[in-house]
Amino acid sequence: MKALDELTFDNRFARLGDAFSTHVLPEPLDEPSLVVASKAAMALLDLDPAVAQTPVFAELFGGHKLWAEAEPRAMVYSGHQFGGYTPQLGDGRGLLLGEVYNEAGEHWDLHLKGAGMTPYSRMGDGRAVLRSSIREFLASEALHALGIPTSRALCVIGSSTPVWREKQERGAMVLRLAHSHIRFGHFEYFYYTKKPEQQAELAEHVLNLHYPECREQPEPYLAMFREIVERNAEMIAKWQAYGFCHGVMNTDNMSILGITFDFGPFAFLDDFDAHFICNHSDHEGRYSFSNQVPIGQWNLSALAQALTPFISVDALKEALGLYLPLYQAHYLDLMRRRLGLTTAEDADPQLVERLLKLMQNSGVDYTLFFRRLGDESAALAVARLRDDFVDMAGFDAWAEQYKARVARDGDYTQEQRRERMHAVNPLYILRNYLAQNAIAAAESGDYSEVRRLHEVLTRPFEEQAGMEQYAQRPPDWGKHLEISCSS
Ligand code: AMP
Ligand code: MG
């Protein structure tokens, strides 16, 4: 266990130099104080959890102090936003403080979001508000607990600094951890600004640091792109299987590591709705829940375009062709497990599809349905669940198919079925209304609800005594919350 001043830095991205990022100091928050910290994320840096309670913790992550070895930098990148190319973006309000390596030899980027203006702030103020910082913190740690690849969050620091959005709010910072903060948009920036040398340097950097095994392949860059395709297919399959809607899948928000990244107006589905749009600025539904699958491929094509200096177009196309079949395989595998199945049959995709249509038509809670399905034998569970469906005849037909499928699947006890299903079907997810309750309390100075919700979400599959209220469908007020994009 380390104290805060014992972190060891090795700032590999900063060493790429000024063509890639600009040195900027964080702009401190007034009266920084700890809102919430993640013990599990602190452990990634070998940090003693007790240090979160010390004043220096809030000072470091509230922008007042820096380690001598830190080299805060704002990264430059660009990207496709809602389908159109924006030539210059970059860290407008976040700083890469440096790269820390832990005792296991892993490197973690320390990225402070809400750290003030940078050369890439454009019209923005460089700040993040408390509510969006809490949302990013909770989502990162909740997705990780569900087994979905994601950036992590170490802490949220609150303050008395006024920040103007639709109304006056208070500034906060969230400390994000990831093995890299390089986005698809980094490659696009050097491609479209026609800087082949820097682009090659970036590609070498990513290959050496994050995909070293691809070096052994005959075409290392192609192998790396294939791996990125595979990781994205798997990540998006997990989003779809668990009902996570990212909301802003612009290529500047897509990580080169295939992890969930840059949380904005995201949401988990309450009722199943394939057409759900969580981002209220997304008028055409480009990033609706079901569109995440083709958009994942669209984004990979944008990355492929930026990689044409290194890889032949035919090879890139072939690699892109891997995306859908891989996505489908991962998705189906997860959905089978969610249904309690251990074997594969050709008609399983239809079984899943039919169920989702029925859930869609009846507005059935996506998370609780699967959880309850595992509570009892298939026959008892469907008999109980049928009341949630408007089209009962439709559900009965599906239930007959499902029971027959379960019978063919194998001979196991109800205890085994429950254990297996509960291990993949969470009881607790980050419902928008739960986040909203925690944020409302935090905005009035009470952080206990954020901390409790975070604790519950770190063990989503385990029934926790006294926490029933976190496993409920939203009340009416919490069903269609408008999450502001101005975070
Ligand atoms: P996002 O939609 O959060 O991914 O942000 C898109 C771009 O806008 C990124 O380059 C951000 O750094 C920048 N940005 C977002 N909010 C702010 C802000 N309040 N101040 C400065 N830049 C911002
Ligand atoms: Mg972004």
Side-chain angles (χ1 to χ4, degrees):
M1 289 286 187
K2 287 182 176 172
L4 277 166
D5 57 2
E6 289 170 335
L7 295 183
T8 333
F9 284 80
D10 176 16
N11 304 321
R12 303 169 304 178
F13 191 87
R15 288 201 289 276
L16 289 174
D18 291 342
F20 296 85
S21 62
T22 308
H23 172 77
V24 183
L25 287 173
E27 201 180 311
L29 290 172
D30 304 326
E31 304 182 81
S33 66
L34 178 71
V35 175
V36 61
S38 163
K39 285 194 194 96
M42 290 177 76
L44 300 173
L45 306 181
D46 308 317
L47 279 175
D48 179 351
V51 305
Q53 309 307 325
T54 61
V56 68
F57 188 85
E59 284 166 6
L60 278 166
F61 299 118
H64 283 259
K65 275 203 170 127
L66 268 183
W67 294 265
E69 291 174 276
E71 292 178 74
R73 316 275 306 185
M75 300 166 117
V76 62
Y77 50 82
S78 62
H80 280 83
Q81 299 186 307
F82 290 91
Y85 185 64
T86 307
Q88 196 186 310
L89 293 161
D91 290 334
R93 55 165 164 174
L95 295 174
L96 178 59
L97 297 180
E99 295 169 58
V100 165
Y101 62 94
N102 64 16
E103 272 155 16
E106 294 167 342
H107 280 69
W108 287 99
D109 280 5
L110 264 54
H111 179 102
L112 194 58
K113 191 166 177 178
M117 301 234 283
T118 77
Y120 314 109
S121 295
R122 298 183 296 166
M123 310 302 280
D125 58 6
R127 290 303 191 193
V129 293
L130 184 62
R131 91 187 123 78
S132 66
S133 305
I134 289 173
R135 279 171 53 83
E136 168 141 5
F137 176 91
L138 292 172
S140 310
E141 295 307 283
L143 283 170
H144 173 74
L146 288 171
I148 302 178
T150 177
S151 61
R152 301 293 301 274
L154 188 85
C155 64
V156 176
I157 303 297
S159 79
S160 60
T161 304
V163 174
W164 285 94
R165 293 295 180 257
E166 281 99 14
K167 57 182 181 6
Q168 185 178 310
E169 301 191 38
R170 266 176 283 170
M173 293 187 191
V174 57
L175 194 285
R176 178 163 67 191
L177 298 175
H179 293 308
S180 170
H181 275 68
I182 298 175
R183 306 147 190 260
F184 290 10
H186 276 88
F187 283 92
E188 294 180 282
Y189 175 76
F190 293 106
Y191 173 74
Y192 288 105
T193 53
K194 301 196 169 52
K195 292 181 178 156
E197 279 168 33
Q198 276 100 354
Q199 210 201 4
E201 224 181 312
L202 181 71
E204 279 296 289
H205 178 90
V206 175
L207 184 67
N208 289 335
L209 269 47
H210 305 294
Y211 294 95
E213 64 291 349
C214 295
R215 271 259 170 258
E216 317 303 320
Q217 301 291 319
E219 283 192 68
Y221 288 148
L222 175 58
M224 177 167 80
F225 180 65
R226 263 203 212 111
E227 179 72 26
I228 295 169
V229 170
E230 287 173 20
R231 289 193 196 184
N232 272 271
E234 185 169 355
M235 171 188 76
I236 292 174
K238 290 184 174 171
W239 290 359
Q240 302 308 114
Y242 283 112
F244 177 75
C245 199
H246 180 285
V248 201
M249 289 175 72
N250 293 335
T251 57
D252 53 298
N253 292 338
M254 301 304 291
S255 156
I256 205 73
L257 300 182
I259 58 174
T260 315
F261 199 66
D262 252 10
F263 295 89
F266 70 85
F268 277 88
L269 298 182
D270 290 305
D271 296 352
F272 181 79
D273 180 5
H275 315 298
F276 180 68
I277 302 166
C278 61
N279 181 351
H280 293 275
S281 326
D282 183 6
H283 303 296
E284 272 143 40
R286 179 179 173 87
Y287 301 136
S288 72
F289 181 65
S290 59
N291 263 3
Q292 296 190 121
V293 182
I295 287 291
Q297 185 162 26
W298 194 95
N299 288 341
L300 286 161
S301 318
L303 175 62
Q305 180 65 44
L307 294 176
T308 48
F310 309 117
I311 309 168
S312 78
V313 170
D314 284 345
L316 284 166
K317 278 192 181 153
E318 201 184 310
L320 280 171
L322 299 171
Y323 172 83
L324 261 187
L326 276 172
Y327 162 79
Q328 270 152 355
H330 282 297
Y331 176 72
L332 199 55
D333 177 54
L334 260 168
M335 294 309 284
R336 281 195 182 103
R337 290 162 58 194
R338 297 205 72 177
L339 286 169
L341 302 172
T342 59
T343 58
E345 282 188 11
D346 289 346
D348 290 343
Q350 288 87 313
L351 190 70
V352 173
E353 270 309 302
R354 282 187 63 194
L355 173 63
L356 294 183
K357 278 223 172 72
L358 288 159
M359 291 174 92
Q360 168 100 33
N361 293 341
S362 296
V364 173
D365 190 88
Y366 188 54
T367 301
L368 292 178
F369 176 87
F370 285 100
R371 184 73 181 192
R372 290 183 183 146
L373 191 64
D375 279 341
E376 294 166 295
S377 70
L380 287 176
V382 294
R384 206 178 293 264
L385 285 161
R386 92 189 272 270
D387 288 348
D388 294 343
F389 289 81
V390 179
D391 176 7
M392 285 191 178
F395 182 74
D396 289 343
W398 179 85
E400 285 311 309
Q401 252 196 344
Y402 174 65
K403 284 187 284 184
R405 176 68 183 86
V406 168
R408 288 194 303 277
D409 190 56
D411 206 6
Y412 33 74
T413 65
Q414 171 45 25
E415 206 35 54
Q416 290 167 319
R417 173 181 153 90
R418 180 189 297 122
E419 201 174 300
R420 203 174 54 231
M421 289 181 72
H422 283 6
V424 291
N425 291 324
L427 183 57
Y428 311 104
I429 55 155
L430 180 56
R431 295 176 187 273
N432 254 342
Y433 89 95
L434 294 175
Q436 202 45 49
N437 279 338
I439 287 165
E443 285 180 336
S444 61
D446 174 4
Y447 303 142
S448 60
E449 185 57 21
V450 177
R451 294 174 187 174
R452 194 158 44 237
L453 180 56
H454 165 234
E455 271 303 311
V456 170
L457 294 171
T458 56
R459 290 177 289 135
F461 300 108
E462 229 175 274
E463 191 162 349
Q464 298 168 41
M467 297 298 166
E468 297 78 15
Q469 72 271 32
Y470 296 101
Q472 307 292 330
R473 302 180 70 175
D476 282 341
W477 68 263
K479 277 185 181 154
H480 304 286
L481 292 172
E482 302 244 325
I483 302 303
S484 160
C485 230
S486 62
S487 59

